[in-house]
Amino acid sequence: AQSVTQLGSHVSVSEGALVLLRCNYSSSVPPYLFWYVQYPNQGLQLLLKYTSAATLVKGINGFEAEFKKSETSFHLTKPSAHMSDAAEYFCAVSSGSARQLTFGSGTQLTVLP
Amino acid sequence: DAEITQSPRHKITETGRQVTLACHQTWNHNNMFWYRQDLGHGLRLIHYSYGVQDTNKGEVSDGYSVSRSNTEDLPLTLESAASSQTSVYFCASSESLGQSEQYFGPGTRLTVT
């Protein structure tokens, strides 16, 4: 069984501040991990994914995430928030040969001017 | 460019009616998925398919059915719509490997009155 917990359903940051969105996972086998972004009235778009290569993964729009096995975490960060980063962010896990994704409940990011 | 489309984008129907939501992808992906998105629940898997003639139940399959007669399409049918099925529905597709990301359609907003 696999599961994902995203701490904080709403996160607010000032423009230019660090963005940190938290994701912890549970998986009985080595996981594949994903971060998706959803802008209003749109589908989900892949930001980045971890597939057991480098533990620090760089994605689009300046985001990156670090896989920490000991902490079962895959937190998403961006050094400097931009107004255009305001969106909902979802962490997801896929385990082993499973092709299904299990999603967290999402974190709504607000960027304050 | 390859894409995944959904139709209709918005639908209002009455309780008890049968409704079919269309999903069409031109990625030539074997895997296709249907999710519903509700506030506070993230995305929950309804049904999925790993190839033609293959269909499987997901986490919240009651009241829904799918069929896969070709690679490109996975229509989702609500046999007898209920108010609890008011939601935003997303279709997604992916390549065969567990590490492959899913590509999402733009969503269908369904309201059951």
Side-chain angles (χ1 to χ4, degrees), chain A:
Chain A
Q2 55 196 35
S3 66
V4 174
T5 301
Q6 291 185 240
L7 294 176
S9 58
H10 291 85
V11 170
S12 294
V13 300
S14 297
E15 190 173 19
L18 172 71
V19 176
L20 171 60
L21 305 182
R22 300 179 185 274
C23 172
N24 288 90
Y25 69 91
S26 171
S27 174
S28 58
V29 297
Y32 302 122
L33 293 158
F34 305 80
W35 274 101
Y36 284 84
V37 61
Q38 184 182 31
Y39 298 104
N41 300 312
Q42 294 186 24
L44 278 70
Q45 176 184 354
L46 182 72
L47 271 179
L48 50 80
K49 67 177 182 180
Y50 167 76
T51 58
S52 75
T55 56
L56 182 63
V57 181
K58 294 186 183 298
I60 62 172
N61 301 337
F63 284 93
E64 62 182 36
E66 185 172 9
F67 172 70
K68 292 187 177 180
K69 183 178 179 180
S70 61
E71 298 178 8
T72 61
S73 69
F74 190 57
H75 301 331
L76 181 71
T77 61
K78 182 174 179 178
S80 177
H82 192 272
M83 297 297 290
S84 61
D85 294 327
E88 189 154 23
Y89 292 80
F90 292 94
C91 182
V93 62
S94 171
S95 298
S97 61
R99 287 162 274 183
Q100 303 168 43
L101 289 179
T102 298
F103 285 86
S105 56
T107 297
Q108 182 69 47
L109 175 66
T110 299
V111 182
L112 304 170

Side-chain angles (χ1 to χ4, degrees), chain B residues 83-96:
Chain B
S83 57
S84 60
Q85 294 177 309
T86 293
S87 187
V88 181
Y89 292 86
F90 288 98
C91 180
S93 70
S94 72
E95 294 179 326
S96 296

